[in-house]
Amino acid sequence: MGTTVYERQRPAASVIAHALDGSRRSVFWLDDLPPQPSRPAVRGTVTADLAIVGGGYTGLWTALHAKRRDPDARVVVVEAKTVGWAASGRNGGFCEASLTHGRDNGLSRWPDEIDQLDRMGLENLDAMGRDIADHGIDADWERVGALGVATEPHQLDWLDDWATDAAARGERGVTRLDQAAVQAAVASPTFLGAVFEEHTNALVHPGKLAAGLARAAEEAGVQIFEGTAVRTLSDDGDRVVLETAGGRVSAARVALATNVFPALLTRNRLMTVPVYDYVLMTEPLTDEQLASIGWSGRQGLSDLANQFHYFRLSRDNRILFGGYDAIYHYGARVRSSYENRPESFEKLANHFFTTFPQLAGLRFTHRWAGAIDTSTQFCAFFGTARAGRVAYAAGFTGLGVAATRFAGDVMLDLLAGDATDRTDLEMVRKRPLPFPPEPAAALGVAATRWSLDRADHNGGKRNVLLKTLDALGLGFDS
């Protein structure tokens, strides 16, 4: 069994200790926001034409587009804590056009629809940029593209296949970079080659996007309630009632945008599992430090390992570095204590300075984690309940920043009973397989993570377990 570049090229322990010393366990994107409005909790009975549970991207896009479709509709958003505090404020800010967690995943599941899905994903990303501009949302939107980098020799063949397939389909803006070219773009001794996708990716400030969507929704007439956890969902004649600690919301239609948190519908209790992802953010780089790594194109980056990293520059030239570890806790629990995992932060710091040894001495200011809503099809699933009065979308699996906008439109289509290009998709019409209950879920995730790690140490070769999961459509990644 071989070794990876992160085992062959280790920075000194003192470099890691110095970099993490003084970092705080807090989300940079949320700390970077100006003071936000104080929004009330639900008290008494609130009535609405449309009630949305969840104040993250999915819920906010749904609310904003609902008012676009019907400006007179009474639309409310009910958020358990504060707008954007969970995955929508903790992610890397990568906005990928793909609705299917990458073309390969979509091609393996919906081969007859993949070209349409790719087209719709790119249209959604383009429209997202227009919406941000039209609503005056200052979200540090950058349409800079992304680099997929090889850090091990066996991954070079994957790059060749990627570029060849794109060329055969006539996809614009996909360029294969050799080692010299990728290191000219971003100087890291670990980079052996890359593919640059120019048109299918953008970067955004996650916290500013959530705050900006909330402001735009409120300006359109949406009322947002915070500090209001929904306990139960029930029918009351032809309406749906959301019960909370302080009151209730009675609505003609309900959209569930609860992401990784326990589903209000029994049918969805086993449809996602929470997997914890860890992130570091550096202090701003000096001009000299930035010059030492190049990166003048400001592209988003990720490597091609099963246990992969993603990294990007912020507007003030900090480096966000996250990924690799994907930690599942028995019972599919979501707890704040799981966010503090020193061994994951130390591992990320180790890998950061292996990637950029010229930045030794740089410090991390923030470290944080968040739970990803993983589904067995590795991208969002959709559906309705309560005779079509309730719609839901969940399971984005860590690649949902742009896809949440699409999901909002899908839910609105479903609630209206409209047959559209979106609702006609097999991806929308069919539910994926659920995860097994415990203890099978924990055993399966542990075995899969071990197998993925072994594949990264064995030239990318997938063992019997991974091949079986692939054949069953139960893919799992870091």
Side-chain angles (χ1 to χ4, degrees):
M1 196 69 67
T3 58
T4 69
V5 66
Y6 304 108
E7 294 159 332
R8 297 190 298 269
Q9 302 177 24
R10 292 179 177 272
S14 59
V15 171
I16 296 170
H18 172 80
L20 288 171
D21 184 41
S23 66
R24 59 184 180 273
R25 190 163 69 87
S26 186
V27 183
F28 169 79
W29 303 123
L30 301 179
D31 287 351
D32 196 44
L33 291 176
Q36 295 300 296
S38 178
R39 299 179 173 100
V42 168
R43 294 287 182 264
T45 298
V46 175
T47 61
D49 297 306
L50 172 64
I52 299 160
V53 184
Y57 295 151
T58 307
L60 294 170
W61 280 119
T62 305
L64 188 59
H65 286 190
K67 292 295 285 187
R68 178 183 294 174
R69 295 184 184 203
D70 182 0
D72 295 326
R74 166 80 165 133
V75 178
V76 302
V77 174
V78 184
E79 165 55 43
K81 293 195 176 181
T82 56
V83 161
W85 76 276
S88 294
R90 297 166 185 259
N91 62 86
F94 288 76
C95 303
E96 298 206 19
S98 177
L99 303 173
T100 61
H101 208 284
R103 181 179 173 85
D104 286 348
N105 185 55
L107 183 63
S108 69
R109 300 179 190 281
W110 307 287
D112 295 337
E113 294 181 345
I114 187 60
D115 291 336
Q116 181 184 7
L117 287 164
D118 283 350
R119 175 181 56 77
M120 295 173 80
L122 189 56
E123 290 172 350
N124 177 68
L125 184 64
D126 291 341
M128 180 178 175
R130 290 194 298 271
D131 279 352
I132 287 171
D134 290 347
H135 290 286
I137 298 173
D138 177 16
D140 297 349
W141 174 266
E142 299 180 89
R143 195 72 181 265
V144 288
L147 284 164
V149 298
T151 58
E152 301 293 342
H154 70 267
Q155 296 168 3
L156 295 173
D157 288 340
W158 299 350
L159 294 176
D160 292 338
D161 292 343
W162 181 354
T164 299
D165 175 68
R169 292 183 287 104
E171 185 176 348
R172 298 182 303 109
V174 179
T175 306
R176 171 70 162 89
L177 305 180
D178 62 16
Q179 185 170 15
V182 67
Q183 293 198 12
V186 184
S188 169
T190 67
F191 294 171
L192 306 180
V195 164
F196 176 52
E197 287 196 328
E198 182 178 355
H199 302 299
T200 58
N201 296 271
L203 295 177
V204 72
H205 185 302
K208 289 182 179 180
L209 177 59
L213 287 172
R215 174 191 57 76
E218 288 174 323
E219 289 176 352
V222 175
Q223 185 168 12
I224 300 175
F225 295 96
E226 293 183 325
T228 303
V230 176
R231 294 176 169 178
T232 62
L233 179 154
S234 61
D235 293 322
D236 182 12
D238 61 353
R239 299 182 70 80
V240 179
V241 175
L242 306 173
E243 296 287 353
T244 77
R248 55 175 12 205
V249 179
S250 173
R253 297 287 184 270
V254 170
L256 299 179
T258 53
N259 192 261
V260 75
F261 296 95
L264 290 167
L265 298 172
T266 302
R267 71 183 66 180
N268 286 344
R269 294 287 165 85
L270 295 176
M271 295 305 293
T272 64
V273 296
V275 177
Y276 275 81
D277 181 58
Y278 296 84
V279 183
L280 295 172
M281 181 69 97
T282 74
E283 61 192 348
L285 273 63
T286 65
D287 291 344
E288 293 75 18
Q289 289 170 326
L290 191 58
S292 74
I293 59 173
W295 213 346
S296 60
R298 301 183 56 81
Q299 309 93 326
L301 281 91
S302 61
D303 62 53
L304 300 187
N306 289 301
Q307 297 186 106
F308 65 92
H309 307 86
Y310 54 88
F311 35 121
R312 52 139 327 161
L313 290 168
S314 66
R315 178 58 61 87
D316 60 348
N317 291 330
R318 300 168 185 264
I319 298 177
L320 176 143
F321 194 81
Y324 197 82
D325 273 350
I327 307 300
Y328 173 78
H329 294 274
Y330 189 91
R333 300 182 182 96
V334 180
R335 293 179 175 172
S336 60
S337 60
Y338 296 155
E339 298 171 20
N340 188 26
R341 194 168 192 268
E343 57 266 48
S344 289
F345 295 125
E346 290 169 7
K347 187 181 296 180
L348 281 173
N350 184 320
H351 295 178
F352 177 89
F353 289 109
T354 297
T355 303
F356 296 120
Q358 64 269 50
L359 295 181
L362 189 67
R363 290 179 179 269
F364 300 108
T365 60
H366 293 73
R367 65 189 194 279
W368 72 88
I372 294 171
D373 60 330
T374 301
S375 71
T376 59
Q377 70 180 23
F378 232 57
C379 60
F381 64 91
F382 308 88
T384 60
R386 299 294 203 271
R389 294 190 296 271
V390 175
Y392 53 83
F396 295 94
T397 319
L399 205 64
V401 175
T404 55
R405 181 187 180 279
F406 178 85
D409 281 327
V410 170
M411 286 197 289
L412 292 174
D413 291 346
L414 292 172
L415 290 172
D418 293 338
T420 68
D421 288 346
R422 289 181 288 262
T423 60
D424 285 344
L425 292 168
E426 184 181 358
M427 184 187 79
V428 170
R429 291 184 289 104
K430 292 189 177 180
R431 285 164 57 90
L433 293 171
F435 286 94
E438 298 291 14
L443 292 171
V445 171
T448 303
R449 289 192 68 245
W450 180 87
S451 298
L452 291 168
D453 181 70
R454 293 302 87 192
D456 285 337
H457 286 78
N458 190 30
K461 297 183 175 111
R462 298 170 80 81
N463 64 14
V464 172
L465 172 61
L466 294 181
K467 289 178 180 178
T468 301
L469 292 176
D470 291 341
L472 293 173
L474 294 171
F476 190 82
D477 209 335
S478 72

